[in-house]
Amino acid sequence: MVITITDNASKQIQEMMKEETEGAHLRFGIKGGGCSGLSYSLGFEYNINEDLDSVEEINGIPVVFFNQDIPILEGTTIDFKQNMMGGGFSIDNPNAIVSCGCGSSFRAKDREGVPENC
């Protein structure tokens, strides 16, 4: 399994998926940007490219990854935390060697990306 999705995150994602049409997958990946050069991408996807993507079912959720992102995402945990200000997803990636102060971007050993203003 590429990543772990906690029970709290799974419940939140499954609730969000109820608003999507049939055939939705959760796409988790990385993109360039943020203070440290890379940021996470989390959203719903309907079109899977079998040559470029891998799909895993995690806690009953179909999750799609770009194959090139898998080495950087390997071992990552997605959680959902609720507090007085609301709730949000948190991502713990053991492959991140630097994270920015705002917590929304990172740098990996094998892929730095291009930093942008935070």
Side-chain angles (χ1 to χ4, degrees):
M1 188 170 2
V2 175
I3 65 169
T4 299
I5 301 175
T6 66
D7 290 342
N8 285 339
S10 293
K11 290 174 189 170
Q12 185 65 32
I13 293 166
Q14 288 168 347
E15 282 298 312
M16 294 168 67
M17 288 185 84
K18 290 178 183 178
E19 304 294 322
E20 300 296 317
T21 58
E22 190 174 329
H25 289 67
L26 177 71
R27 179 175 287 279
F28 180 54
I30 56 174
K31 60 184 179 178
C35 310
S36 298
L38 298 172
S39 59
Y40 297 103
S41 174
L42 190 63
F44 293 107
E45 178 73 60
Y46 296 90
N47 301 312
I48 310 303
N49 182 327
E50 293 181 10
D51 294 328
L52 301 175
D53 296 325
S54 292
V55 178
E56 287 189 359
E57 187 165 309
I58 304 170
N59 291 354
I61 300 166
V63 183
V64 62
F65 308 93
F66 284 121
N67 291 330
Q68 69 182 16
D69 292 348
I70 290 174
I72 296 170
L73 297 174
E74 191 82 42
T76 296
T77 299
I78 299 176
D79 195 8
F80 185 82
K81 299 184 182 197
Q82 191 75 34
N83 61 35
M84 293 179 67
M85 300 296 289
F89 290 100
S90 67
I91 298 171
D92 180 22
N93 184 344
N95 301 304
I97 59 171
V98 173
S99 294
C100 74
C102 62
S104 65
S105 71
F106 70 102
R107 186 176 326 141
K109 177 182 163 192
D110 296 326
R111 191 159 153 199
E112 293 186 6
V114 179
E116 295 176 358
N117 294 333
C118 242

